[in-house]
Amino acid sequence: MPILGLAPAAQALKPAHFDIERVIRPNILALTPYRCARDDYSSGILLDANENALGHSITSASSSAPLSEADDMLHLDLHRYPDPSHPLIKKRIAELRGLPSPEHVFLGVGSDEVIDLLMRVCVSPGAAGDKILVTPPTYGMYSVCAQVNDVGVVKVDLELSGENGEGGEAGRFSVRIDEVKHTIDADPSIKLIFLCSPGNPTGTLISLASIRALLDYTPFKGIVVVDEAYIDFAERGSSAVSLVAEYANICVLQTLSKSFGLAAIRLGIALAQPSLIQILTNTKAPYNISTPTATLALRALSDDSLVQMRSKLERLGTQRTALRLELQKLAPLGVGEAIGGGDANFLVVPILARGSREADNDRAVRVYKTLAEEEGVVVRYRGGERGCRGCLRITVGSEDENEIVIAKLQKTLERM
């Protein structure tokens, strides 16, 4: 069945064993998308969408007060539904990521909307339905979305060498490709593989060779989803986007929340071949990206903004190194060597039992709560995840924030 709205492919793509029409649920392939008013016309006297023709009623700030960002947004046509396709944003993203065209770009309300959409279009729910595969420790929303959609989850733990707590060595994570392949062989109902690269909470890149090995694996007929929320903090040239133009069975997720510093506007990105992008477009809500979000996103993607963004990435990289060195100085108080890699904007360190080299979940929880409730420093407890016993995840802050967290952590550790 042809995909509605998709032009015929000009060339065959790898891998030969992949057929997207066999991956997408039949009801989704047969779906006639909702056609919204702005799909047809966006200029003229617009009396087609039952909007409020008199405009919004939000008052501006006092004329004596400085112009706020909210006031800036008030000049937009907030009483009109937004453009459902946002071609300028997609064009800028395609250029930034080296993709052939905007047809390779989908925009979602954060990456979480894209994760949910991928499950809904690819994975049949129910006890006898399809499954996804995840590689713990990893981003928790994959399993949450699976549960919401009544989808089965298969887990293949990341390989952990030098696990924290064993001789004080730092853990290192990698995907067990052979085990993933064995799991696929044993369970052909797996439709999606979710790989987080750089990982959360591992902070570790997954090699392009490992990703390519799964894309080329003939028994797997589904889609490899590579979540690259933190990719701009990693070494250049490490993104799986370089595989998108070559492979039809990969979908790369990115976001403006992390490196662009725009977590509040909730803009997620899917990068894939036009066939999958068109299916996601056919299935999404009619106006999922708001006008204020789109306006700020386009500004963030301007040349001047990109220069500033990259400058901040360099500063955060420097602070990441400095934070790691300062945490190492707290080893006598029970801070273990950071585990995982340094490819994201955070570090994960185990809190050890007093006078021991064993990671201590109880002490880590006490440190976490004391920092938040008594010292005003909020980090993330991650001790319940595979390979992360006793661990706290600390986001790289500003230079001043990093100095404060080290001082407060030292004070807290000395007390317990």
Side-chain angles (χ1 to χ4, degrees):
M1 180 183 296
I3 298 170
L4 188 63
L6 181 68
Q11 60 182 9
L13 295 167
K14 291 183 180 180
H17 65 263
F18 178 75
D19 181 357
I20 193 168
E21 293 184 23
R22 299 184 64 180
V23 177
I24 305 303
R25 295 169 60 192
N27 60 306
I28 300 296
L29 281 176
L31 177 69
T32 300
Y34 175 78
R35 189 155 188 83
C36 59
R38 295 291 81 81
D39 280 325
D40 294 322
Y41 304 104
S42 58
S43 62
I45 298 177
L46 299 175
L47 304 177
D48 57 343
N50 302 331
E51 300 152 328
N52 186 333
L54 300 184
H56 67 76
S57 301
I58 303 173
T59 59
S60 299
S62 168
S63 58
S64 61
L67 187 66
S68 69
E69 184 175 297
D71 287 327
D72 193 20
M73 292 293 106
L74 295 184
H75 296 293
L76 302 174
D77 288 333
L78 299 179
H79 64 303
R80 300 295 184 192
Y81 287 111
D83 182 338
S85 57
H86 303 288
L88 294 180
I89 298 176
K90 293 177 181 178
K91 181 175 182 293
R92 288 293 293 162
I93 291 172
E95 292 170 348
L96 177 65
R97 299 310 188 191
L99 289 169
S101 71
E103 284 69 37
H104 291 74
V105 181
F106 174 84
L107 305 179
V109 183
S111 297
D112 294 332
E113 183 188 22
V114 186
I115 292 166
D116 181 68
L117 269 178
L118 285 167
M119 290 192 198
R120 286 197 282 135
V121 303
C122 296
V123 190
S124 297
D130 301 318
K131 301 182 182 71
I132 67 167
L133 185 149
V134 299
T135 58
T138 192
Y139 183 42
M141 277 304 294
Y142 309 142
S143 293
V144 170
C145 281
Q147 186 170 353
V148 168
N149 286 289
D150 195 17
V151 165
V153 180
V154 177
K155 298 179 180 180
V156 176
D157 290 345
L158 295 176
E159 185 173 25
L160 183 65
S161 60
E163 184 167 358
N164 71 83
E166 297 180 1
E169 294 181 5
R172 294 293 181 265
F173 294 91
S174 59
V175 177
R176 296 188 291 167
I177 296 297
D178 289 343
E179 184 63 24
V180 172
K181 290 179 177 180
H182 175 74
T183 304
I184 290 167
D185 292 341
D187 193 345
S189 69
I190 295 171
K191 287 288 193 70
L192 298 173
I193 297 174
F194 283 93
L195 302 176
C196 196
S197 178
N200 177 11
T202 69
T204 306
L205 275 168
I206 296 173
S207 71
L208 295 184
S210 295
I211 296 170
R212 190 183 290 271
L214 294 176
L215 295 172
D216 285 329
Y217 191 54
T218 301
F220 181 55
K221 310 299 183 184
I223 295 171
V224 178
V225 183
V226 185
D227 188 344
E228 293 189 340
Y230 301 94
I231 194 64
D232 290 323
F233 298 100
E235 184 180 352
R236 288 192 181 184
S238 55
S239 173
V241 173
S242 61
L243 302 175
V244 167
E246 185 179 355
Y247 287 90
N249 57 340
I250 186 172
C251 180
V252 177
L253 309 184
Q254 295 186 350
T255 179
L256 297 193
S257 294
K258 310 298 182 182
S259 58
F260 284 84
L262 289 172
I265 75 170
R266 308 304 302 130
L267 189 79
I269 302 161
L271 306 171
Q273 279 294 312
S275 53
L276 180 57
I277 297 300
Q278 186 63 56
I279 289 164
L280 295 174
T281 301
N282 291 350
T283 312
K284 74 173 182 68
Y287 305 103
N288 63 330
I289 306 301
S290 73
T291 295
T293 290
T295 301
L296 291 172
L298 200 54
R299 291 185 193 176
L301 292 163
S302 70
D303 290 338
D304 289 344
S305 294
L306 289 173
V307 169
Q308 186 165 329
M309 182 268 280
R310 287 166 180 146
S311 173
K312 289 182 178 180
L313 289 181
E314 290 184 10
R315 290 166 56 193
L316 286 171
T318 300
Q319 287 304 309
R320 179 176 60 195
T321 301
L323 180 62
R324 183 187 292 271
L325 292 174
E326 291 301 313
L327 287 168
Q328 289 173 347
K329 295 177 183 178
L330 298 181
L333 296 174
V335 177
E337 183 71 22
I339 69 170
D343 298 312
N345 67 330
F346 55 82
L347 296 173
V348 177
V349 292
I351 302 300
L352 310 179
R354 270 192 173 275
S356 168
R357 298 303 298 164
E358 294 290 327
D360 186 338
N361 266 347
D362 291 338
R363 191 182 186 208
V365 169
R366 295 199 306 272
V367 170
Y368 159 68
K369 288 183 174 293
T370 301
L371 283 174
E373 297 170 7
E374 299 180 24
E375 302 296 342
V377 173
V378 182
V379 297
R380 196 79 179 265
Y381 171 71
R382 278 291 175 258
E385 299 187 45
R386 162 80 168 92
C388 299
R389 187 169 73 251
C391 282
L392 301 179
R393 191 190 71 194
I394 305 174
T395 304
V396 178
S398 67
E399 185 173 357
D400 289 344
E401 288 173 332
N402 291 341
E403 289 178 359
I404 292 171
V405 73
I406 291 296
K408 298 288 188 179
L409 180 57
Q410 178 176 345
K411 174 184 175 183
T412 300
L413 289 167
E414 289 171 342
R415 294 166 50 192
M416 61 181 60

